[in-house]
Amino acid sequence: MTAFPLKIVTPEKVFFDGPAERVVLRTSEGDMCILARHEKFVADLPSGPVRITVDGEDRYAALSSGVVQVGKDSTTILAYAIEWAEEIDLAWAKRSQQQAIDRKNKAKSDTELRRAELKLQRALNRIHVSGMHK
């Protein structure tokens, strides 16, 4: 496959900056596969898994919301947070899941409920992605 420049940036760091042959991610409109010379677009990214193919090998990461911008020659992902599957602290993710469930059960407003649901989605995504690495 033909590689294209991919850059993934969080508020804290550049997570990935290099050639990729394929990126599979979840957008607000559904799952999408990005290849070289893909049609230009911009999309919101909810929390979900990201699969990046480099030199024929797939790597998985857990993304916690962001935006993807596919240009003529490159793709950029601005992520709230992202981490490689093999770097996820599973025990911490499970504690976050339980905390989110507790917050959801104690929510006194729609805002508190929505925040707890987003925290739960992020925790479940991290737990799911942690099992994807080889």
Side-chain angles (χ1 to χ4, degrees):
M1 278 189 256
T2 303
F4 60 92
L6 172 65
K7 190 169 194 175
I8 303 174
V9 181
T10 73
E12 289 82 31
K13 64 182 177 183
V14 175
F15 176 77
F16 182 91
D17 189 5
E21 295 154 10
R22 175 178 53 200
V23 178
V24 179
L25 45 72
R26 180 161 299 141
T27 73
S28 57
E29 302 300 314
D31 290 355
M32 167 110 11
C33 177
I34 302 165
L35 301 170
R37 296 179 295 279
H38 194 287
E39 183 74 24
K40 293 185 211 178
F41 76 95
V42 173
D44 286 328
L45 302 173
S47 292
V50 177
R51 182 175 67 190
I52 302 168
T53 305
V54 177
D55 294 329
E57 297 290 324
D58 289 334
R59 289 199 69 194
Y60 295 89
L63 178 125
S64 295
S65 75
V67 176
V68 62
Q69 184 263 330
V70 179
K72 180 180 176 187
D73 299 315
S74 66
T75 296
T76 302
I77 297 172
L78 303 175
Y80 174 74
I82 188 168
E83 60 189 311
W84 294 115
E86 62 271 16
E87 295 174 357
I88 293 171
D89 181 338
L90 187 56
W92 186 79
K94 288 181 178 181
R95 284 193 306 273
S96 292
Q97 176 188 14
Q98 188 57 54
Q99 289 172 355
I101 290 168
D102 293 344
R103 285 184 184 177
K104 191 174 172 184
N105 292 335
K106 295 176 184 174
K108 292 182 170 87
S109 69
D110 288 343
T111 300
E112 287 179 5
L113 180 61
R114 182 70 183 135
R115 285 182 182 157
E117 287 172 343
L118 289 171
K119 182 177 176 66
L120 181 57
Q121 288 173 4
R122 288 190 300 268
L124 291 172
N125 178 50
R126 293 178 73 240
I127 291 166
H128 173 70
V129 171
S130 71
M132 294 178 153
H133 75 90
K134 296 176 182 179

